[in-house]
């Protein structure tokens, strides 16, 4: 496959990309735009970017909003309760159907790597088993990691620890946790130590729903980061949400950041989800309920954006578009400067690949798998501003999704000059 007239991120020249036997074999700068021949794809000056990565989504719960009841309060905790009513109705066919529809929706929007959470506070483990099976069946189409996520507590849910071990034996790639939902601070802390112990014992990655609450006293992140540091697990560990950090005072954060930086752990923020679920106990002033994405990024700590939910008990919108999550994130975290916009796609591509530990096989670089997407815009700034569609998605040199740019059918109404 040959692509001509492609722009690459953070470079101004047009480029020709060649993919042979599924890998990039040539990436060359063009001195001017060229006419594409019949075999070539003409990128027409649009931005070629490494595929989007969805680092945090709950595929077992996707497309279940309102079943059997809607989340009326909009809180995380009511979401957990409503999901608890849907859980007994789960079966393999139901999960498969909804997960496949959601994965396809993500593919249509340029995603080629997914990290999904599977609720393991369920003695049948049907969600985890089904998502692990789908991961294996779809391995040549899309890369999926499955997190064993103890939604109702690793130590507070009856048999939670045994279920986690069973999930790891079934084949979960990543160990999850939810310390702010454990009954006590002590259990929350102990759960973080246990998660790291299991990661060492089973040689798995870690991704914890950590401090997803507005409580400024929810400080399990420091326990997770310290354990990761002591056990040298750094980049294999991710803290998702950490919304309490939006409520920590600056003095504590200043101390905390030293540890976070040393530990080398990754962060995932889910802007649409958190702006919706957090701040629910405030009147006014009302907190934004997001972690300190801007400050983490400025401190050179890896942070990325995910969607979390697609029409589930926690969030009843969601359309598979990471560009929408990014747009929300940039606004809510006030990352609206020229430099922010110029590298904004990092938050849904390179940074997320790092979180998933796939960066060695990710990116438009010689020798790497020939995966890329084409975006409607010539650089990060234009793509963000125009909120355009993903026009093309290529995997191992094969087109897996292509759409035409929406075409206006009328002339200008107003004369705007030349
Ligand atoms: N479960 C949870 O604990 N937090 C979330 N944001 C979702 C599920 C979506
Ligand atoms: Fe989540």
């Amino acid at each position: 496959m040959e692509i001509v007239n492609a722009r690459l991120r953070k470079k101004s020249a047009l480029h020709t990309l060649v993919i042979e036997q599924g890998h990039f074999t040539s990436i060359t700068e063009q001195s001017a735009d060229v006419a594409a021949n019949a075999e070539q794809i003409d990128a027409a000056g649009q931005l070629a970017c490494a595929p989007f990565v969805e680092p945090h989504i709950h595929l077992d719960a996707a497309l279940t909003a309102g079943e059997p009841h809607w989340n009326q309060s909009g809180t995380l905790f009511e979401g957990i309760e409503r999901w608890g009513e849907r859980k007994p109705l789960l079966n393999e066919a139901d999960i498969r159907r909804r997960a496949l529809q959601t994965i396809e929706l993500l593919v249509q929007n340029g995603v080629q790597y997914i990290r999904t959470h599977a609720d393991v506070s369920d003695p049948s483990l049907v969600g985890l088993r089904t998502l692990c099976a789908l991961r294996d069946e779809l391995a040549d189409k899309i890369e999926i990691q499955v997190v064993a996520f103890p939604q109702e507590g690793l130590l507070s849910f009856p048999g939670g620890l045994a279920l986690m071990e069973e999930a790891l034996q079934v084949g979960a790639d990543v160990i999850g946790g939810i310390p702010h939902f454990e009954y006590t601070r002590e259990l929350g802390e102990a759960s973080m130590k246990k998660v790291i112990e299991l990661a060492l014992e089973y040689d798995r990655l870690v991704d914890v729903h950590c401090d997803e609450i507005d409580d400024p006293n929810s400080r399990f992140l420091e326990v997770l980061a310290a354990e990761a540091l002591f056990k040298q697990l750094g980049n294999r560990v991710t803290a998702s949400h950490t919304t309490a950090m939006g409520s920590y005072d600056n003095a504590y954060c200043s101390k905390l950041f030293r540890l976070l930086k040393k530990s080398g752990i990754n962060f995932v923020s889910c802007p649409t989800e958190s702006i919706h679920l957090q701040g629910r106990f405030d009147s006014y002033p009302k907190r934004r309920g997001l972690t300190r994405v801007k400050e983490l990024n400025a401190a050179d700590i890896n942070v990325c954006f995910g969607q979390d939910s697609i029409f589930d008990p926690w969030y009843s919108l969601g359309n598979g578009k990471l560009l929408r999550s990014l747009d929300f994130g940039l606004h809510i975290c006030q990352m609206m400067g020229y430099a922010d916009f110029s590298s904004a796609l990092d938050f849904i591509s390179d940074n997320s690949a790092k979180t998933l530990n796939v960066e060695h096989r990710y990116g438009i670089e010689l020798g790497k798998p020939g995966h890329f997407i084409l975006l409607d815009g010539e650089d990060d700034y234009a793509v963000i501003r125009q909120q355009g569609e993903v026009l093309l998605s290529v995997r191992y040199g094969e087109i897996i999704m292509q759409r035409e740019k929406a075409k206006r059918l009328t002339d200008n109404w107003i004369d705007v000059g030349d």
Side-chain angles (χ1 to χ4, degrees), residues 246-264:
S247 294
Y248 293 162
D249 67 52
N250 286 342
Y252 172 64
C253 254
S254 160
K255 173 212 158 191
L256 177 65
F257 267 50
R258 177 174 166 266
L259 165 64
L260 298 181
K261 176 87 181 151
K262 271 193 160 176
S263 74

Side-chain angles (χ1 to χ4, degrees), residues 318-376:
N319 53 13
K321 297 185 184 203
L322 275 165
L323 281 170
R324 176 171 177 267
S325 304
L326 176 58
D327 190 25
F328 268 70
L330 296 172
H331 281 83
I332 300 166
C333 301
Q334 299 185 328
M335 297 186 291
M336 304 286 283
Y338 178 76
D340 297 311
F341 290 134
S342 302
S343 57
L345 291 173
D346 283 348
F347 289 108
I348 54 173
S349 59
D350 293 1
N351 294 7
S352 325
K354 212 169 154 200
T355 296
L356 265 60
N357 279 229
V358 298
E359 72 270 39
H360 56 285
R361 54 179 186 277
Y362 178 90
I364 302 178
E365 288 171 37
L366 279 184
K368 287 195 171 172
H371 308 341
F372 75 94
I373 56 177
L374 211 54
L375 294 165
D376 183 10

Side-chain angles (χ1 to χ4, degrees), residues 239-398:
S240 282
H241 301 302
T242 61
T243 58
M245 202 200 286
S247 294
Y248 293 162
D249 67 52
N250 286 342
Y252 172 64
C253 254
S254 160
K255 173 212 158 191
L256 177 65
F257 267 50
R258 177 174 166 266
L259 165 64
L260 298 181
K261 176 87 181 151
K262 271 193 160 176
S263 74
I265 69 169
N266 306 292
F267 286 80
V268 179
S269 169
C270 302
T272 48
E273 187 92 7
S274 294
I275 196 71
H276 161 60
L277 293 176
Q278 304 303 317
R280 289 284 175 171
F281 299 93
D282 293 352
S283 53
Y284 289 94
K286 199 189 282 273
R287 285 170 284 185
R288 293 174 187 228
L290 255 70
T291 195
R292 299 192 182 199
V293 176
K294 183 176 188 163
E295 293 74 14
L296 287 166
N297 189 53
D300 213 15
I301 293 168
N302 188 48
V303 51
C304 59
F305 287 136
Q307 296 179 78
D308 209 4
S309 291
I310 306 270
F311 194 68
D312 71 12
W314 293 274
Y315 185 73
S316 54
L317 294 175
N319 53 13
K321 297 185 184 203
L322 275 165
L323 281 170
R324 176 171 177 267
S325 304
L326 176 58
D327 190 25
F328 268 70
L330 296 172
H331 281 83
I332 300 166
C333 301
Q334 299 185 328
M335 297 186 291
M336 304 286 283
Y338 178 76
D340 297 311
F341 290 134
S342 302
S343 57
L345 291 173
D346 283 348
F347 289 108
I348 54 173
S349 59
D350 293 1
N351 294 7
S352 325
K354 212 169 154 200
T355 296
L356 265 60
N357 279 229
V358 298
E359 72 270 39
H360 56 285
R361 54 179 186 277
Y362 178 90
I364 302 178
E365 288 171 37
L366 279 184
K368 287 195 171 172
H371 308 341
F372 75 94
I373 56 177
L374 211 54
L375 294 165
D376 183 10
E378 75 268 16
D379 57 14
D380 286 32
Y381 203 132
V383 170
I384 303 294
R385 195 167 76 83
Q386 285 160 210
Q387 284 290 297
E389 298 275 9
V390 180
L391 301 173
L392 176 75
S393 183
V394 168
R395 185 163 179 79
Y396 290 119
E398 187 189 342

Side-chain angles (χ1 to χ4, degrees), residues 30-74:
Q30 298 171 206
S31 51
D33 62 344
V34 296
N37 67 35
E39 274 95 65
Q40 291 171 325
I41 294 175
D42 187 1
Q46 309 280 44
L47 185 66
C49 172
F52 290 157
V53 177
E54 174 50 79
H56 189 123
I57 193 149
H58 295 256
L59 290 177
D60 55 353
L63 311 180
T64 65
E67 299 175 9
H69 300 115
W70 293 91
N71 180 343
Q72 300 285 354
S73 66

